[in-house]
Amino acid sequence: MPSDIVIKCSKAIASKGWNIAFAESATAGRMSSEFAMTPHSGEILRGGLVCYDVFIKEQILNVPHAVIEKFTPESAEVTQALAQQASKVFNSKITVAITGLTSPGGSETEEKPVGTIFFYIITPSEKINHREVFEGNPEEIVLKAIDKTAKLIIDSISRI
C-alpha cells in the first residue's frame, strides 16, 4: 500500500493532467510500484526503468562511461544524466531519477555513507537536484526515499 504522501503526490500530478516516469537505480522499481498502487495511477504513470546495473545506465540510458567512472554510479552527476535521458525515452511531464547506497558494497565513503540517496527530478517548471542521507535498513531507506520524492514533487507543484 502506498504511503499517504505518495497518494497525495499522485493526486496532485493528476490534477495538473501530467504524467510521471522513473529511472530507478537504488529503489529498483519500488517507486514505480508504489505509484502504480495509487488511485490515480492509470492517469499519471507513464512507466519506469530499473537501471540498477551500470550496464543499463550506459547501454540503455546512454550515460557516458566517463561520467560514471569519474563520479561513480551513485552520484548527483549520474542521477542527472539518468533523468535527462529517461525524460527523452518516456516523454514525461515529470521524470524522476534516483541512485544511491542502500547497503554496503557500493561506492560508499565517509562523505557518501550507506543511506545516501541522490534525486534528480525534472518538472515542467524546474529541475530539482537533491541529496539526502537516510538511516535504516535497505527497505527503510528505499521507502524514505520514495516519500521524499513525493514531497519534493508536491512542493514543486505547489510553487506553480
Side-chain angles (χ1 to χ4, degrees):
M1 172 107 185
S3 66
D4 288 343
I5 195 159
V6 170
I7 292 169
K8 182 179 176 185
C9 180
S10 179
K11 183 177 181 181
I13 295 167
S15 75
K16 292 287 190 184
W18 295 348
N19 55 39
I20 188 167
F22 303 97
E24 300 184 63
S25 183
T27 52
R30 182 73 181 263
M31 191 164 346
S32 296
S33 178
E34 293 294 315
F35 274 81
M37 292 186 284
T38 67
H40 296 282
S41 63
E43 298 168 63
I44 68 158
L45 187 57
R46 176 75 34 118
L49 179 67
V50 175
C51 52
Y52 201 84
D53 190 75
V54 169
F55 177 84
I56 302 302
K57 290 174 176 70
E58 291 180 1
Q59 299 299 314
I60 304 298
L61 288 172
N62 300 313
V63 175
H65 180 74
V67 172
I68 293 171
E69 282 290 309
K70 182 175 182 180
F71 299 106
T72 79
E74 304 88 12
S75 64
E77 294 81 4
V78 168
T79 308
Q80 179 177 347
L82 291 171
Q84 291 166 336
Q85 294 299 332
S87 181
K88 294 175 192 173
V89 169
F90 289 104
N91 190 28
S92 44
K93 287 285 189 182
I94 299 174
T95 306
V96 176
I98 189 164
T99 68
L101 303 158
T102 61
S103 59
S107 63
E108 68 268 13
T109 63
E110 275 189 39
E111 298 80 31
K112 186 173 65 171
V114 170
T116 303
I117 300 292
F118 298 94
F119 307 79
Y120 198 88
I121 304 168
I122 300 170
T123 74
S125 63
E126 65 182 322
K127 293 175 175 72
I128 303 163
N129 185 359
H130 184 77
R131 175 191 187 271
E132 191 156 333
V133 179
F134 298 102
E135 299 288 327
N137 65 42
E139 184 174 21
E140 291 167 338
I141 292 167
V142 165
L143 291 174
K144 289 174 184 177
I146 292 167
D147 284 353
K148 183 63 177 192
T149 299
K151 181 177 183 339
L152 290 168
I153 293 168
I154 290 167
D155 291 348
S156 179
I157 290 172
S158 72
R159 289 190 287 270
I160 296 175

